[in-house]
């Protein structure tokens, strides 16, 4: 009986405590603490997370630049746990909640774009590791151990979200909805966002090119439907439609700038995979992004604008050997005039018009749609060159003086003609809708990804093998380019059982960076 009384007393105590707590919370709410956040504020934070800064790991792993000084960085591919975007996805869900709370026409733009954002971030995460929690994710205490959805299902759901987002935006634009706020990319323009959504849709379809025969995905049909109906699926039309990060001289400086010239301008140099491709093609973009290797010019008595001076280091080269050659002037440094003379070197693309042009050309080349692949291929090259200020006729280029002070540059004038010079080269002129033509498209897309679009250069290499990435002691990982990241350590500690199921299903129970995820098998 005493035990029963104790249980009853405990129950009453808990009820009273709960009631007191609720009464306390109701009566003593902090009037200075917001209970709800406007969806536009959350929206601003979400779009900021889409941007991936240049001069980071993705740039070295895309073999655009290379670190020659161990203290600052390496060129290793010894990948560990991936950085995933679940905090951002959680904010997308919160934005949906706050938009639904407001309701009406104010809510609809955020709900339409939330579908695009979920597709964007789940695709980005899945490309890194494979299967991921999706349908059971972000439920908090209701489900602390979510299952991992198949990578195929993640992409299928993401393609569905993109279709729904476009349909919703069509309706809002037709109705004249102008309620979007908080957009520092596209100035709250729903038509501009719709172009981004559909351009990303094409990118996502091509990410699945190795699964083109999977009837469940309908890749060719989706690709053709988008290209054949521009009224329903508007796409980017020029560089003004780019989704891009713009820098300023105060709070958001370009990662390379005049303040850190002495810190890292000599500690990193151009990588061979990128720069040697430019110089082989006599591509004037080399002049804009790199400096001539003064040691080569001196040894062979070349004029500085000779493309033979534009040489990058193999990313696989031993770092000590690379540093020695840099100090002897045998490798090209990053262009100091463009990247270190100010604070706003160039915008950083997230989703861009040049990429779209090459994606359309690739789809046509593969037979996924009808059209003129050569025209889109040329548009992509010309748009990329225009990004660097290259124009028909005379162009001024600037190289840092070998022994000059910071800010000392030599200027040169080069002449350029796209049609009569660059495009006449057999390596550049489109070879047709065949394997050679496809390799040309992929090569030019890779060149256009320089310092842009995060991991897209690596994703293309993994999917197509273009360009050929260089390996050696400097890249580590036993001379291999990995095929994925490992899952984050937190997944093992908080959701280990479900993670083990996913790793066993995909990789035979081993979370190995050299094992291929479903998307590239």
């Amino acid at each position: 009986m005493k035990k029963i009384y104790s249980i009853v007393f405990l129950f009453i105590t808990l009820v009273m405590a709960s009631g007191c707590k609720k009464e306390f919370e109701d009566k003593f709410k902090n009037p200075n603490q917001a209970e709800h956040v406007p969806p536009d504020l959350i929206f601003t934070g979400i779009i900021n997370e889409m941007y991936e800064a240049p001069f980071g790991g993705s740039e070295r792993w895309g073999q655009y630049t290379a670190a020659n000084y161990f203290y600052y960085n390496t060129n290793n591919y010894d990948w560990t746990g991936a950085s995933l975007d679940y905090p951002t996805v959680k904010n997308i869900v919160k934005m949906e909640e706050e938009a639904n709370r407001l309701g009406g026409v104010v809510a609809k733009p955020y709900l339409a774009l939330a579908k695009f954002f979920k597709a964007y971030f789940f695709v980005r995460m899945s490309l890194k590791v494979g299967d991921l929690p999706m349908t059971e994710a972000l439920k908090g205490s209701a489900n602390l151990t979510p299952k991992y959805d198949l990578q195929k299902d993640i992409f299928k759901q993401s393609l569905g979200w993109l279709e729904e987002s476009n349909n919703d935006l069509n309706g809002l634009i037709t109705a004249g909805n102008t309620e979007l706020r908080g957009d520092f990319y596209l100035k709250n323009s729903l038509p501009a966002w719709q172009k981004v959504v559909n351009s990303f849709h094409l990118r996502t379809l091509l990410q699945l090119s190795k699964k083109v025969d999977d009837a469940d995905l309908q890749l060719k049909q989706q690709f053709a439907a988008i290209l054949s109906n521009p009224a329903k699926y508007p796409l980017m039309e020029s560089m003004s439609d780019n989704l891009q990060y713009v820098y300023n001289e105060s709070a958001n400086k370009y990662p390379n700038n005049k303040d850190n010239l002495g810190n890292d301008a000599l500690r990193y140099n151009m990588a061979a995979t990128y720069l040697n491709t430019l110089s082989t093609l006599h591509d004037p973009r080399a002049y804009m992004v790199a400096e001539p290797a003064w040691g080569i010019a001196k040894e062979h008595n070349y004029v500085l604008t000779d493309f033979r001076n534009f040489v990058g280091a193999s990313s696989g080269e031993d770092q000590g050997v690379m540093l020695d050659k840099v100090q002897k002037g045998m490798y090209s440094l990053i262009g100091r005039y463009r990247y270190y003379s100010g604070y706003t070197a160039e915008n950083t693309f997230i989703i861009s018009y040049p990429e779209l042009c090459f994606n359309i050309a690739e789809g046509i080349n593969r037979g996924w749609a009808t059209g003129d692949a050569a025209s889109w291929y040329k548009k992509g090259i010309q748009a990329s060159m225009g990004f660097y200020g290259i124009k028909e006729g005379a162009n001024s280029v600037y190289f840092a003086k070998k022994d000059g002070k910071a800010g000392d540059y030599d200027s040169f004038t080069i002449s350029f003609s796209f049609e009569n010079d660059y495009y006449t080269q057999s390596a550049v002129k489109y070879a047709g809708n065949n394997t050679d033509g496809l390799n040309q498209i992929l090569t030019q897309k890779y060149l256009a990804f320089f310092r842009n679009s995060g991991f897209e250069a690596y994703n293309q290499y993994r999917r197509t093998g273009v360009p050929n990435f260089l390996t050696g002691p400097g890249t580590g990982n036993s001379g291999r380019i990995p095929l994925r990241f490992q899952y984050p350590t937190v997944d093992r500690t908080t959701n280990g059982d479900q993670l083990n199921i996913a790793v066993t299903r995909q990789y035979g129970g081993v979370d190995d960076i050299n094992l291929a995820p479903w998307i590239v098998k």
Side-chain angles (χ1 to χ4, degrees):
M1 182 66 71
K2 183 177 181 181
K3 184 175 182 181
I4 294 174
Y5 287 150
S6 298
I7 294 173
V8 171
F9 176 76
L10 177 61
F11 174 75
I12 294 172
T13 302
L14 290 172
V15 171
M16 291 177 63
S18 176
C20 290
K21 180 182 178 183
K22 185 177 187 305
E23 183 179 352
F24 178 85
E25 290 174 347
D26 288 341
K27 289 185 176 181
F28 295 95
K29 289 182 179 179
N30 184 350
N32 297 314
Q33 181 176 335
E35 295 184 14
H36 298 284
V37 180
D40 60 289
L41 294 182
I42 307 174
F43 175 86
T44 300
I46 291 168
I47 62 175
N48 190 60
E49 294 301 318
M50 299 181 75
Y51 151 74
E52 295 182 70
F55 204 50
S58 61
E59 183 172 305
R60 296 191 308 281
W61 296 324
Q63 301 202 354
Y64 291 112
T65 58
N68 60 54
Y69 195 65
F70 179 80
Y71 179 81
Y72 284 83
N73 238 313
T74 73
N75 306 305
N76 289 350
Y77 286 87
D78 296 331
W79 289 355
T80 52
S83 174
L84 300 181
D85 300 298
Y86 280 107
T88 305
V89 178
K90 185 176 181 181
N91 285 337
I92 298 169
V93 174
K94 184 62 178 175
M95 183 179 73
E96 289 178 305
E97 291 175 1
E98 293 297 330
N100 280 319
R101 182 182 62 82
L102 292 178
V105 295
V106 176
K108 291 181 179 180
Y110 304 101
L111 297 175
L113 289 174
K115 295 173 182 177
F116 163 66
F117 294 140
K118 285 191 285 189
Y120 179 87
F121 286 107
F122 270 110
V123 164
R124 187 163 84 173
M125 290 191 292
S126 183
L127 284 170
K128 291 180 180 179
V129 295
D131 296 357
L132 283 170
M134 176 190 251
T135 55
E136 295 183 0
L138 305 175
K139 297 186 182 298
S141 59
N143 187 353
L144 297 175
T145 56
K147 71 174 184 180
Y148 285 65
D149 293 80
L150 298 176
Q151 189 172 46
K152 175 181 175 178
D153 293 336
I154 291 170
F155 271 80
K156 190 174 179 181
Q157 173 65 76
S158 295
L159 291 171
W161 277 328
L162 293 171
E163 180 72 19
E164 292 173 15
S165 180
N166 176 67
N167 291 340
D168 292 348
L169 289 169
N170 262 332
L172 294 174
I173 293 166
T174 300
N177 188 300
T178 59
E179 295 296 330
L180 186 67
R181 299 288 184 273
D183 176 15
F184 57 82
Y185 286 140
L186 302 174
K187 299 180 180 178
N188 303 306
S189 170
L190 292 184
W193 275 105
Q194 188 180 25
K195 293 178 182 180
V196 167
V197 169
N198 293 320
S199 298
F200 180 75
H201 197 157
L202 292 184
R203 177 201 281 185
T204 305
L205 291 169
L206 285 173
Q207 297 281 16
L208 293 157
S209 63
K210 285 187 171 291
K211 303 300 179 181
V212 66
D213 295 325
D214 190 325
D216 194 37
L217 295 173
Q218 300 286 296
L219 301 178
K220 291 182 180 180
Q221 293 86 340
Q222 290 187 61
F223 198 96
I226 292 171
L227 282 192
S228 65
N229 193 347
K232 181 179 180 181
Y233 300 101
L235 296 165
M236 293 177 175
E237 301 174 73
S238 70
M239 296 292 278
S240 64
D241 291 327
N242 288 336
L243 184 68
Q244 59 189 355
Y245 196 91
V246 179
Y247 300 88
N248 61 57
E249 296 186 359
S250 54
N252 298 306
K253 298 176 182 178
Y254 193 83
N256 305 114
N257 60 69
K258 62 193 304 182
D259 291 344
N260 54 42
L261 171 66
N263 185 60
D264 55 42
L266 303 180
R267 307 305 185 191
Y268 295 80
N269 50 268
M270 302 303 295
T273 305
Y274 172 66
L275 184 61
N276 292 9
T277 302
L278 288 177
S279 57
T280 299
L281 297 176
H282 290 191
D283 194 311
R285 284 173 286 189
Y287 299 139
M288 304 301 175
V289 302
E291 294 181 356
W294 57 266
I296 294 176
K298 181 179 179 181
E299 180 180 340
H300 298 282
N301 199 30
Y302 296 152
V303 297
L304 286 180
T305 53
D306 192 313
F307 281 108
R308 289 173 292 186
N309 296 325
F310 290 82
V311 178
S314 167
S315 298
E317 188 169 58
D318 177 87
Q319 208 169 23
V321 174
M322 187 185 298
L323 177 60
D324 180 62
K325 290 183 179 179
V326 166
Q327 292 173 339
K328 293 176 179 176
M330 306 309 288
Y331 289 140
S332 294
L333 295 170
I334 299 170
R336 279 174 276 184
Y337 179 78
R338 183 175 184 86
Y339 295 111
Y340 288 98
S341 62
Y343 295 107
T344 59
E346 63 192 32
N347 301 335
T348 296
F349 300 152
I350 302 169
I351 302 169
S352 72
Y353 176 70
E355 179 197 352
L356 171 67
C357 293
F358 293 124
N359 285 344
I360 293 174
E362 179 181 345
I364 295 171
N365 177 285
R366 292 181 180 275
W368 290 18
T370 59
D372 186 354
S375 175
W376 286 106
Y377 167 71
K378 290 172 70 173
K379 287 178 183 178
I381 299 173
Q382 290 171 309
S384 178
M385 288 186 169
F387 174 67
Y388 295 100
I390 299 167
K391 62 183 186 298
E392 293 288 314
N395 291 262
S396 297
V397 297
Y398 302 87
F399 305 133
K401 293 183 178 180
K402 175 182 177 293
D403 298 317
K405 299 178 181 179
D408 286 348
Y409 301 97
D410 287 320
S411 64
F412 300 84
T413 299
I414 57 112
S415 180
F416 174 73
S417 172
F418 180 82
E419 291 289 352
N420 299 323
D421 182 12
Y422 186 75
Y423 195 69
T424 60
Q425 300 177 91
S426 60
V428 177
K429 190 172 183 178
Y430 187 59
N433 294 341
N434 49 46
T435 300
D436 289 341
L438 178 60
N439 287 339
Q440 289 174 315
I441 293 167
L442 295 172
T443 297
Q444 288 290 344
K445 193 195 305 187
Y446 170 76
L447 297 178
F449 277 142
F450 177 62
R451 313 208 96 173
N452 285 299
S453 306
F455 276 88
E456 287 310 300
Y458 165 79
N459 290 336
Q460 175 181 286
Y461 161 79
R462 183 179 63 174
R463 176 173 68 90
T464 69
V466 178
N468 179 41
F469 278 11
L470 303 175
T471 60
T475 50
N477 194 33
S478 301
R480 295 170 292 178
I481 303 295
L483 296 173
R484 55 181 291 272
F485 282 86
Q486 290 181 326
Y487 285 97
T489 301
V490 68
D491 286 26
R492 297 187 183 90
T493 57
T494 62
N495 197 15
D497 290 343
Q498 290 295 335
L499 174 60
N500 288 336
I501 293 172
V503 171
T504 299
R505 180 173 62 217
Q506 298 172 93
Y507 311 117
V510 183
D511 193 4
D512 188 337
I513 63 175
N514 298 302
L515 296 177
W518 167 85
I519 198 168
V520 291
K521 286 183 179 178

